[in-house]
Amino acid sequence: HCLTVRAICQREIDYDRRNGYSWKITLLRNYWKSKVKQEWLSGKYSHVHSRSSLPEKSMYPMDADTWGEILEAELER
């Protein structure tokens, strides 16, 4: 499961592993983030007009680098 999550959140998974987190904790810390990040990267929220129109599970705390990846993907669409 971690390798599947790592395909989307490589930087986050590698960071957690370098910092001594077990695979189980690493998966728990990054599973929902990978789901939300994948939806953003795939363009699921490209045509949202306001925050109130976003689905409940569309947000997750992410660092600036992650939001940068999402913004770059949006700019390429």
Side-chain angles (χ1 to χ4, degrees):
H1 291 291
C2 271
L3 295 177
T4 302
V5 171
R6 188 175 182 269
I8 305 301
C9 294
Q10 180 178 349
R11 186 179 60 256
E12 295 91 336
I13 296 290
D14 292 348
Y15 176 83
D16 283 358
R17 295 297 295 149
R18 274 193 308 273
N19 284 299
Y21 289 102
S22 69
W23 281 109
K24 180 180 179 180
I25 297 299
T26 298
L27 180 62
L28 291 172
R29 287 173 45 93
N30 293 286
Y31 179 78
W32 284 110
K33 182 186 298 185
S34 73
K35 294 290 188 191
V36 171
K37 184 177 176 181
Q38 178 61 38
E39 289 177 348
W40 278 94
L41 289 172
S42 70
K44 182 174 182 175
Y45 307 117
S46 291
H47 303 290
V48 172
H49 299 288
S50 71
R51 180 177 178 344
S52 62
S53 61
L54 285 170
E56 183 179 326
K57 298 240 180 196
S58 64
M59 301 301 289
Y60 195 86
M62 292 187 241
D63 60 21
D65 290 332
T66 300
W67 284 113
E69 289 176 46
I70 292 166
L71 179 58
E72 285 179 23
E74 278 300 310
L75 292 173
E76 290 175 7
R77 280 190 244 294

